[in-house]
Amino acid sequence: MSDMTSMADAPRSPGRPRSVRADEAIVEATLDLLAEGSTLEALSIEAIAARAGVGKATIYRRWSGKDALLMDALGRLKGVPPQPAGRSVRDDLVLLVGAVGHNVDPRAAKIMPCLVPEVNRSPDHFQLYQNIVAPRRKLMREVLRRGVDSGELRADVDIELAMALLTGPMLIQRVLRWHPELDDQILPERVVDAVLEGLRAR
């Protein structure tokens, strides 16, 4: 018997499939360790396995390595990206901007601010972050392009710059609480309306 029993090797009990239970235990352990202060660099597969109550082999059967596991775990903090309805450029942008800096897991408040210096310091961690946010950027890019194609937005709009203008205020407010008197509930609408004022076709 191994020194650490894998949940995947434990007897099957009624309820959810054992593979799902193991997956969730591993992801939860990863997020718990990060929320408790472990850095991305210091976080080890050994520590994750010990916290999850599984063997290292159980983790490696599911993820190719730590970065792949981190991408899944950090992606869970963000939740599933909202899907634009496709009827109104403004409404779709408000929906997407409202999701910027919003996390479905309360541990994100401890984890995300601590990731900023690590993302800036490590090319690998920077790429990990890019892989997580790229699908969300793609959704916003598609909405802006739709606005240009329909004539609602100017033909010469710099879409990548527009995305930065829409995203930046939400990130700095929700991650750093830059201005405590700004109302998070209406900020997405205010940001979108301010940016669209300069993007709309005349």
Side-chain angles (χ1 to χ4, degrees):
M1 187 171 182
S2 65
D3 57 341
M4 190 176 297
T5 301
S6 165
M7 287 177 64
D9 299 327
R12 183 186 296 270
S13 59
R16 303 166 73 184
R18 62 188 180 187
S19 61
V20 173
R21 292 200 304 271
D23 289 352
E24 291 192 354
I26 293 164
V27 169
E28 287 297 304
T30 302
L31 293 175
D32 282 344
L33 289 168
L34 289 172
E36 290 166 11
S38 178
T39 64
L40 295 180
E41 186 175 357
L43 187 65
S44 68
I45 292 296
E46 289 80 2
I48 295 169
R51 175 63 67 92
V54 303
K56 288 193 296 181
T58 303
I59 296 177
Y60 285 117
R61 279 198 296 270
R62 290 159 169 77
W63 290 276
S64 59
K66 186 173 79 171
D67 283 350
L69 171 54
L70 282 170
M71 184 169 175
D72 279 357
L74 294 174
R76 178 174 294 193
L77 286 179
K78 301 291 296 178
V80 178
Q83 296 302 309
R87 291 186 290 272
S88 162
V89 169
R90 179 191 180 275
D91 290 350
D92 288 348
L93 288 176
V94 169
L95 177 71
L96 295 175
V97 169
V100 173
H102 174 74
N103 304 288
V104 298
D105 191 311
R107 288 171 293 191
K110 295 180 179 179
I111 295 174
M112 299 308 288
C114 298
L115 296 184
V116 174
E118 298 198 49
V119 166
N120 289 327
R121 206 166 39 228
S122 164
D124 289 340
H125 295 158
F126 173 78
Q127 189 56 54
L128 175 67
Y129 170 74
Q130 292 300 317
N131 291 342
I132 291 172
V133 300
R136 296 166 186 273
R137 271 202 307 264
K138 180 174 181 288
L139 288 171
M140 189 176 292
R141 188 180 293 116
E142 289 171 350
V143 172
L144 289 168
R145 283 178 177 162
R146 193 179 80 233
V148 171
D149 292 343
S150 69
E152 185 175 345
L153 304 182
R154 298 197 328 259
D156 63 347
V157 165
D158 185 328
I159 288 179
E160 302 306 310
L161 177 59
M163 289 195 298
L165 292 171
L166 289 163
T167 304
M170 297 305 303
L171 278 177
I172 196 171
Q173 181 64 17
R174 284 185 170 164
V175 175
L176 300 179
R177 300 300 302 165
W178 181 77
H179 196 321
E181 294 181 13
L182 285 176
D183 185 347
D184 265 12
Q185 298 301 312
I186 62 172
L187 187 58
E189 292 187 52
R190 295 181 65 188
V191 169
V192 169
D193 288 340
V195 174
L196 284 181
E197 190 63 31
L199 301 183
R200 284 198 175 98
R202 303 299 180 185

Short mmCIF file of all heavy atoms in Angstrom, two decimals, residues 1 12 59 74-75 84 89 100-101 104 109-110 121 135 139 154 179 183 196:
data_model
loop_
_atom_site.label_atom_id
_atom_site.label_comp_id
_atom_site.label_asym_id
_atom_site.label_seq_id
_atom_site.Cartn_x
_atom_site.Cartn_y
_atom_site.Cartn_z
N MET A 1 0.86 -1.20 0.00
CA MET A 1 0.00 0.00 0.00
C MET A 1 0.89 1.24 0.00
O MET A 1 1.89 1.30 0.71
CB MET A 1 -0.89 0.00 1.25
CG MET A 1 -1.93 1.10 1.25
SD MET A 1 -3.08 0.85 2.61
CE MET A 1 -4.18 2.21 2.33
N ARG A 12 -15.33 2.55 -4.23
CA ARG A 12 -16.40 3.41 -4.74
C ARG A 12 -17.54 3.46 -3.73
O ARG A 12 -17.95 2.45 -3.19
CB ARG A 12 -16.92 2.87 -6.08
CG ARG A 12 -17.97 3.77 -6.70
CD ARG A 12 -18.55 3.12 -7.93
NE ARG A 12 -17.55 2.95 -8.96
CZ ARG A 12 -17.28 3.86 -9.90
NH1 ARG A 12 -17.91 5.02 -9.87
NH2 ARG A 12 -16.39 3.62 -10.83
N ILE A 59 -2.73 13.02 -9.41
CA ILE A 59 -2.70 14.35 -10.03
C ILE A 59 -2.14 14.26 -11.44
O ILE A 59 -2.71 14.82 -12.39
CB ILE A 59 -1.87 15.32 -9.18
CG1 ILE A 59 -2.54 15.53 -7.82
CG2 ILE A 59 -1.69 16.66 -9.91
CD1 ILE A 59 -1.77 16.42 -6.85
N LEU A 74 -7.33 28.24 -11.29
CA LEU A 74 -7.54 29.68 -11.36
C LEU A 74 -8.73 30.02 -12.26
O LEU A 74 -9.45 30.99 -12.02
CB LEU A 74 -6.27 30.38 -11.85
CG LEU A 74 -5.08 30.28 -10.89
CD1 LEU A 74 -3.83 30.89 -11.52
CD2 LEU A 74 -5.38 30.96 -9.56
N GLY A 75 -8.94 29.21 -13.29
CA GLY A 75 -10.10 29.41 -14.14
C GLY A 75 -11.39 29.22 -13.37
O GLY A 75 -12.40 29.89 -13.64
N PRO A 84 -22.63 36.91 -24.45
CA PRO A 84 -23.42 38.04 -24.96
C PRO A 84 -24.64 37.56 -25.75
O PRO A 84 -24.57 36.56 -26.47
CB PRO A 84 -22.44 38.78 -25.86
CG PRO A 84 -21.08 38.35 -25.40
CD PRO A 84 -21.24 36.94 -24.93
N VAL A 89 -24.86 46.10 -28.82
CA VAL A 89 -23.43 46.22 -28.52
C VAL A 89 -23.24 46.76 -27.11
O VAL A 89 -22.42 46.24 -26.34
CB VAL A 89 -22.73 47.13 -29.56
CG1 VAL A 89 -21.31 47.48 -29.11
CG2 VAL A 89 -22.70 46.45 -30.92
N VAL A 100 -15.44 41.60 -15.54
CA VAL A 100 -14.02 41.87 -15.34
C VAL A 100 -13.73 42.05 -13.85
O VAL A 100 -14.37 42.85 -13.18
CB VAL A 100 -13.58 43.13 -16.11
CG1 VAL A 100 -12.14 43.49 -15.75
CG2 VAL A 100 -13.72 42.91 -17.61
N GLY A 101 -12.79 41.30 -13.35
CA GLY A 101 -12.45 41.40 -11.93
C GLY A 101 -13.46 40.78 -11.01
O GLY A 101 -13.30 40.83 -9.78
N VAL A 104 -16.24 34.21 -8.84
CA VAL A 104 -17.34 33.50 -8.18
C VAL A 104 -16.91 32.87 -6.87
O VAL A 104 -17.74 32.46 -6.07
CB VAL A 104 -17.92 32.41 -9.11
CG1 VAL A 104 -18.51 33.03 -10.36
CG2 VAL A 104 -16.86 31.36 -9.49
N ALA A 109 -10.37 36.94 -3.59
CA ALA A 109 -9.97 38.21 -2.99
C ALA A 109 -8.58 38.12 -2.36
O ALA A 109 -7.86 39.13 -2.28
CB ALA A 109 -11.00 38.64 -1.94
N LYS A 110 -8.20 36.93 -1.92
CA LYS A 110 -6.87 36.73 -1.35
C LYS A 110 -5.86 36.30 -2.41
O LYS A 110 -4.68 36.62 -2.31
CB LYS A 110 -6.93 35.67 -0.25
CG LYS A 110 -7.75 36.06 0.96
CD LYS A 110 -7.75 34.95 1.99
CE LYS A 110 -8.54 35.34 3.23
NZ LYS A 110 -8.57 34.25 4.24
N ARG A 121 6.71 38.87 -12.97
CA ARG A 121 8.07 38.39 -12.74
C ARG A 121 8.42 37.18 -13.58
O ARG A 121 9.58 36.98 -13.95
CB ARG A 121 8.21 38.05 -11.24
CG ARG A 121 9.60 38.15 -10.70
CD ARG A 121 9.62 38.14 -9.19
NE ARG A 121 8.65 37.24 -8.58
CZ ARG A 121 7.84 37.57 -7.59
NH1 ARG A 121 7.84 38.81 -7.14
NH2 ARG A 121 6.99 36.71 -7.08
N PRO A 135 -9.88 33.81 -23.64
CA PRO A 135 -11.26 33.57 -24.10
C PRO A 135 -12.19 34.74 -23.78
O PRO A 135 -13.12 35.02 -24.54
CB PRO A 135 -11.67 32.31 -23.34
CG PRO A 135 -10.40 31.64 -22.97
CD PRO A 135 -9.44 32.75 -22.71
N LEU A 139 -14.30 37.26 -26.56
CA LEU A 139 -15.72 37.62 -26.54
C LEU A 139 -15.91 39.12 -26.71
O LEU A 139 -16.76 39.58 -27.48
CB LEU A 139 -16.36 37.16 -25.22
CG LEU A 139 -16.58 35.66 -25.04
CD1 LEU A 139 -17.01 35.37 -23.61
CD2 LEU A 139 -17.60 35.14 -26.03
N ARG A 154 -17.34 53.44 -35.04
CA ARG A 154 -16.52 53.98 -36.11
C ARG A 154 -15.69 52.89 -36.78
O ARG A 154 -15.22 51.95 -36.13
CB ARG A 154 -15.56 55.05 -35.57
CG ARG A 154 -16.21 56.26 -34.97
CD ARG A 154 -15.21 57.41 -34.84
NE ARG A 154 -13.85 56.97 -34.61
CZ ARG A 154 -13.24 56.98 -33.42
NH1 ARG A 154 -13.90 57.37 -32.34
NH2 ARG A 154 -11.99 56.59 -33.30
N HIS A 179 -10.63 53.34 -5.76
CA HIS A 179 -11.48 54.45 -5.30
C HIS A 179 -12.67 53.87 -4.55
O HIS A 179 -13.64 53.43 -5.16
CB HIS A 179 -11.96 55.27 -6.51
CG HIS A 179 -12.51 56.61 -6.14
ND1 HIS A 179 -13.29 56.85 -5.03
CD2 HIS A 179 -12.38 57.83 -6.75
CE1 HIS A 179 -13.63 58.10 -4.96
NE2 HIS A 179 -13.08 58.74 -5.99
N ASP A 183 -19.22 53.15 -7.06
CA ASP A 183 -20.20 52.08 -6.89
C ASP A 183 -19.95 50.97 -7.90
O ASP A 183 -20.14 51.16 -9.11
CB ASP A 183 -21.61 52.66 -7.06
CG ASP A 183 -22.70 51.64 -6.77
OD1 ASP A 183 -22.39 50.43 -6.67
OD2 ASP A 183 -23.87 52.05 -6.66
N LEU A 196 -17.91 54.27 -25.10
CA LEU A 196 -18.69 54.28 -26.34
C LEU A 196 -18.89 55.70 -26.87
O LEU A 196 -19.05 55.90 -28.08
CB LEU A 196 -20.05 53.62 -26.12
CG LEU A 196 -20.06 52.10 -26.05
CD1 LEU A 196 -21.48 51.58 -25.86
CD2 LEU A 196 -19.47 51.48 -27.31
#
